[in-house]
Amino acid sequence: MKVGELYEVRHNWLLPHSTRDFWSTCGPVLYLGEDVIEREDGAMIVNHAVLVKGQRRILDKSFLKFLEPLTKT
């Protein structure tokens, strides 16, 4: 994943049921980079930020498998 690159959501049939409607019709996704949270106990949680439909969304690494580079067609 590269910051500033556009991606598209693929493999829609594997998307979580609760968010399938949003992600299957969302259009291009702009990858903003890692969003790191440091907990009080010192543990680091690495999530990923994207911009989609004008909204900043936070994803965990398991969702990245659904994003593929946007192809020019």
Side-chain angles (χ1 to χ4, degrees):
M1 304 286 301
K2 293 181 182 179
V3 174
E5 294 284 325
L6 288 174
Y7 292 85
E8 59 187 341
V9 178
R10 295 300 202 120
H11 313 295
N12 292 341
W13 65 92
L14 294 173
L15 288 168
H17 180 70
S18 61
T19 60
R20 183 175 294 142
D21 289 341
F22 177 83
W23 289 108
S24 64
T25 61
C26 70
V29 176
L30 178 66
Y31 182 69
L32 301 175
E34 291 183 347
D35 186 87
V36 180
I37 300 169
E38 185 174 354
R39 295 189 327 205
E40 290 180 11
D41 63 1
M44 302 285 282
I45 310 297
V46 179
N47 291 312
H48 300 270
V50 296
L51 186 65
V52 58
K53 289 188 172 181
Q55 303 173 22
R56 187 174 188 267
R57 294 275 181 129
I58 302 298
L59 309 172
D60 68 8
K61 69 178 180 179
S62 68
F63 195 87
L64 297 181
K65 65 186 171 201
F66 297 110
L67 299 179
E68 292 186 5
L70 186 65
T71 57
K72 297 177 184 174
T73 56

